[in-house]
Amino acid sequence: MSEEIKPVETPTEVKPVAEKKPAAEKKEKKPAVKKVGVMETLQTPDYIKERIEIWEGLKAKHLESIKDMKEEPINITLPDGKVVAGIKNKTTPYDVAKGISRGLADAIVSSKVNGEQIWDISRPLEADCNLQLCKFDSEEGKKTFWHSSAHILGQAMERIYGGQLCIGPATSEGFYYDMAMGDKIVSAEDYKLINEVAQKIVQEKQPFERLAVPRDIALTMFKFNKYKTEIISKIPQEETVSLYRCGTLVDLCRGPHVPNTSYIKSFAVTKNSSAYWLGKAENDDLQRVYGISFPDKKQMEEYENFMREAALRDHRNVGKAQELFFFHPFSPGSAFFLPHGTRIYNKLVEFIRDEYHRRGFTEVITPSIFSQKLWEQSGHWQKYSENMFVLPVDKDNFSLKPMNCPGHCLMFGSRQRSYRELPLRFADFGVLHRNELAGALTGLTRVRKFQQDDAHIFCTTEMIEDEINSCLGFMQYVYGIFGFEFGLELSTRPDNFLGEIAQWDIAEASLEKALNKFGKPWKLNPKDGAFYGPKIDIHITDCLKRSHQCATIQLDFQLPIRFDLEYQSDDAAELKKRPVIIHRAILGSVERMMAILIEHTGGKWPLWISPRQVIVVTVNKTHNEYGQKVCKEISDAGFYCDIDDSDKTISKKVREAQLAQYNYILVIGQEEINGNTVNVRTRDNVVRGSLTVENLISEFNQLVKEFK
């Protein structure tokens, strides 16, 4: 009998014992790695350290000199007439704003003292004054804000590139800074680093500090920078030099600035280019960096959206897409107008020419090349010769004309003139040439060869007001057709004026009276007139709210003197008198106006000026004969009409016509042939249905008559 096998008893609740792992080796604790900021990666050149050391010494002396200054009360008058009490050399515009409301104090970025001087809001007021507080949306506010941003950009460039800073102004569209960098260049890949350094400068809330120092000390501070020393050397020895500091940057500057860098909430580099010192091609090459900034991020987003829309409308892109014009390196700055671009160009000239006939202008033609002696007599050689194309002819210097006025003076003086002939209005579409710097050439907006709707009105002093009113009315009519809004500025006698003050006073009073009679708002622009006479500047605003100066109306007393122009008067006491010349243009450069119109319309031209007015598209080849008949009938009526009788599908033909911006697309199939009609649709895909060609031509004529 086999032995009974018993089951093995297993103790209850017994857990397997885990195998003991060997103890891990204790790792040596590494010290925490300190994150290096962008500013710490940049070097601080010795000249910056030396400059700061001098600044700190000067600042200490300045603070010591004013610490025991006696407090003197001053009265600060606000635009509403309210008078605020302040303390001389202590109360700032910011203090005044804060006394009104904290919200206002936080919103202002600049101020204006006594209606003229733009003033830092953190700079103490120095005497009784009228004070205007300026937010960013004002002209003074933008100028101050963007000028401060230029200093932030300059500090960033100095830290990154270590070059020699030159000039860094605010512009109407932001700011830029020029730097001499030797063989180095700025590229788009650098924008990120520049923006990062600028953002760090903003975060550091660096105060803008101002000191006025003796010229010799300023020369010592900037001995490392030949460009700054060149500027300082032109300042009289006895005058002080205004300097500003933010962070490591100390710069020559009249100011004003925002209180500190934190006011710049949003900053971006926008583009870069090459430049020349003082804008002269014979001087050193520089690198220019452009930027934009705003007091809040929302405005930056709006700006970026605006720039995207502007890029879509850029006349260079539209001009290429619509085959209007192009440029070639064999003739820089001179546009080649293709057939469709020439249609627009000629229509603009034709439009103004028709108005000349209605408004009493006489069109003339003058030579394109003149002797240097003419320009010496007119005064242009002394002031403008570097912008002329000079040619040696017959052992003498000649130049292509950059303007028409001297030639018109020769015409006026070619025989004796009577008061009965005045006003005499010479109009000239002559080709002009100006030797613009290569780096300044920009599409059609800045060219070397162009035409103007240029006119010169020879009149008596008593006629000035009526002639100016007529010019303003002419300008308003033209700009109304194009859909432009405009602003007016009266620019008065500059410091370098020529002539008698009494004559200037009469002329300025005539312009002011004419502007008031015209009935539109206008602004005074003191001391910004031409040296030869006061002027009215006209700024148009396009659909993107951008400002352009095209039209100008200028009085001139000097050319009649230089050319000894006279007319026989009806005044027995003074039989010979000098005329006054009114320079005026409305389109300005036809090239530049064409660029503005391209961007204003986005290339969707109204019928009256459109280079592609009508296209006939046939459904298939059996309809081509009728289509060609319709095309010829419309062309014979004076309109630009093309035909697409290709083998493409009708939908493709229509789509291509819409993209090409044809105003009218006429579809022709068997139904249209049977009814002797065309099926009309527009570039915006509005289907009009069937119309006879006769009725359609009548519609076209009416639209052209109404400039639509």
Side-chain angles (χ1 to χ4, degrees), residues 277-323:
W277 169 238
L278 300 179
K280 296 182 179 179
E282 63 269 22
N283 289 345
D284 292 352
D285 289 330
L286 308 175
Q287 292 290 297
R288 176 172 294 177
V289 179
Y290 293 86
I292 190 69
S293 63
F294 295 99
D296 64 59
K297 292 182 178 179
K298 182 181 178 183
Q299 285 176 288
M300 180 63 82
E301 291 173 2
E302 292 171 352
Y303 169 81
E304 289 171 347
N305 290 335
F306 164 84
M307 291 305 294
R308 280 190 286 271
E309 176 63 22
L312 292 174
R313 292 172 174 262
D314 189 307
H315 75 278
R316 291 164 294 188
N317 297 333
V318 175
K320 183 178 180 180
Q322 295 190 0
E323 295 187 6

Side-chain angles (χ1 to χ4, degrees), residues 368-385:
S368 291
I369 184 170
F370 287 96
S371 166
Q372 177 181 327
K373 296 181 180 66
L374 173 78
W375 307 113
E376 288 173 345
Q377 184 174 346
S378 70
H380 290 100
W381 189 260
Q382 298 88 325
K383 294 179 178 290
Y384 205 77
S385 58

